[in-house]
Amino acid sequence: MTAHAPTTPMPAPTTNRAALATLWGGLAMTILVTVAAFVDDATTRMLAGHIQASYPSYGTDEIGTATSIYLVVLAVVGGLGVLTWIATIWATARGTRWAPWLATVVFLTAVCIALAGLTVRDTSGDVGLVPVLAWLQVIPCVVGLVAVAHLWRQRR
């Protein structure tokens, strides 16, 4: 009979439940904020009204085209946001060492995009994106800041 050294199981990757909960919340917020633009288009039409106010000479077709372009841009930004939340959730759940770095880079990029939505002026001199929708873009950034803090705290 041969004696074997007892095997110790590999430790599971350390995860931070608070970070994961926050990341999932950020994913949900990003989806809601992205959908909000389409709900606006189907109901209150604030975006279309903002474009009409900025360009009073625009006809219905031109306003529709401009609104559609903004919706495509917001959908792409939202889709990329969803993908990056999912990638960060995956990296955090696996306990990767680079998850805080990923979250930080994504957070800084998202802040730049949100600031652009709040501040970039179009040819009319007015901000291009209706302020309500632009401020909604900030909500996932706030959640992202909390997630980044959790991830860096976990790393200590």
Side-chain angles (χ1 to χ4, degrees):
M1 184 150 56
T2 318
H4 293 286
T7 58
T8 55
M10 293 290 292
T14 59
T15 59
N16 183 329
R17 288 183 189 200
L20 283 171
T22 305
L23 291 166
W24 281 105
L27 173 61
M29 287 295 107
T30 299
I31 292 168
L32 289 173
V33 165
T34 302
V35 169
F38 292 91
V39 170
D40 167 66
D41 189 50
T43 58
T44 62
R45 301 198 38 87
M46 286 184 290
L47 180 57
H50 176 73
I51 295 167
Q52 177 64 52
S54 297
Y55 296 95
S57 64
Y58 272 18
T60 305
D61 289 343
E62 294 160 316
I63 292 170
T65 300
T67 302
S68 294
I69 291 169
Y70 269 111
L71 290 174
V72 167
V73 169
L74 291 171
V76 168
V77 167
L80 291 172
V82 165
L83 291 175
T84 56
W85 283 111
I86 291 170
T88 309
I89 290 166
W90 176 84
T92 301
R94 297 233 10 213
T96 63
R97 301 177 95 179
W98 47 267
W101 290 103
L102 173 63
T104 301
V105 169
V106 169
F107 166 72
L108 293 173
T109 303
V111 167
C112 290
I113 292 169
L115 286 174
L118 287 166
T119 61
V120 170
R121 299 197 177 278
D122 62 16
T123 57
S124 72
D126 199 1
V127 290
L129 186 58
V130 64
V132 171
L133 292 179
W135 279 105
L136 284 176
Q137 302 299 311
V138 175
I139 295 170
C141 295
V142 173
V143 178
L145 177 61
V146 174
V148 166
H150 283 307
L151 287 167
W152 282 108
R153 186 175 331 132
Q154 168 190 343
R155 211 177 135 119
R156 286 200 253 158

